[in-house]
Amino acid sequence: MKNNTEIANRFREVILNGTWIANTNYKDQLQNLNWEIAVTPFQNLNTIALLAQHIHYYINGINNVFKGGTLDIKDKFSFDFPPIHSQQEWENFLIKFWNEAEEFASLVEEMPNEKLDQAFVDEKYGTYKRNIEAMLEHSYYHLGQIVLIKKLLTN
């Protein structure tokens, strides 16, 4: 199996369909979650909705680079999203999240293996591979938070 296919499948595992690392994934945790729980704050923690939108923000921004665009995302804006006010808005966001996550995985899969070792936008950001692996690790980090917050809010 090619390196890029392996990495793409690891990304699908954390967002869309895997259980090997965390015994769950974003889709499993979020797809049947009531929007009111998703936007409910617990103490001073980010809401489940904000954490999901945060990960989506980075996926979308990196997709833009993969498709030949510029790197426009900024950490300072990575939690700035309009509030979700209904189940329909929540479900619309999730559809977009799943679709853009699959697009991310497909773009990685289609990427020539040699590109994985090339500089991502600028040498200061490291390689494509480093950024893709950082997206995986970042996603698992926030998935753990989502699982814990969901347990705190639903138990």
Side-chain angles (χ1 to χ4, degrees):
M1 181 180 295
K2 293 180 2 182
N3 205 8
N4 58 341
T5 302
E6 204 171 287
I7 295 169
N9 287 336
R10 286 186 55 222
F11 181 78
R12 284 184 182 102
E13 284 181 14
V14 65
I15 305 293
L16 300 169
N17 61 18
T19 58
W20 192 58
I21 301 293
N23 205 34
T24 192
N25 58 69
Y26 279 79
K27 195 168 191 177
D28 184 51
Q29 291 298 309
L30 302 178
Q31 71 181 346
N32 295 314
L33 186 65
N34 181 288
W35 77 277
E36 291 170 316
I37 294 171
V39 301
T40 298
F42 183 83
Q43 296 177 5
N44 64 340
L45 303 176
N46 287 313
T47 66
I48 291 170
L50 272 177
L51 292 169
Q53 290 170 304
H54 173 75
I55 289 299
H56 172 259
Y57 176 80
Y58 283 102
I59 290 169
N60 193 39
I62 294 171
N63 279 351
N64 192 52
V65 173
F66 288 168
K67 294 186 284 188
T70 56
L71 181 64
D72 301 326
I73 53 178
K74 306 270 187 256
D75 291 344
K76 68 181 179 178
F77 300 126
S78 69
F79 282 101
D80 293 346
F81 308 104
I84 292 173
H85 295 291
S86 70
Q87 188 67 31
Q88 189 61 55
E89 286 180 15
W90 175 239
E91 289 173 15
N92 290 344
F93 161 72
L94 291 176
I95 289 166
K96 190 174 176 182
F97 187 16
W98 310 145
N99 289 339
E100 291 178 9
E102 180 53 42
E103 180 182 36
F104 181 102
S106 294
L107 290 166
V108 170
E109 214 164 33
E110 295 163 7
M111 190 178 292
N113 270 326
E114 311 80 60
K115 186 151 187 131
L116 293 174
D117 295 323
Q118 293 176 6
F120 182 81
V121 180
D122 187 314
E123 283 190 24
K124 69 182 177 184
Y125 297 123
T127 64
Y128 275 80
K129 184 177 181 183
R130 180 175 169 88
N131 279 272
I132 295 164
E133 288 176 342
M135 192 67 235
L136 279 162
E137 293 165 9
H138 188 204
S139 296
Y140 274 114
Y141 171 75
H142 288 303
L143 176 60
Q145 291 177 319
I146 287 169
V147 169
L148 289 173
I149 294 167
K150 185 176 172 183
K151 284 181 182 181
L152 290 167
L153 292 173
T154 58
N155 285 341

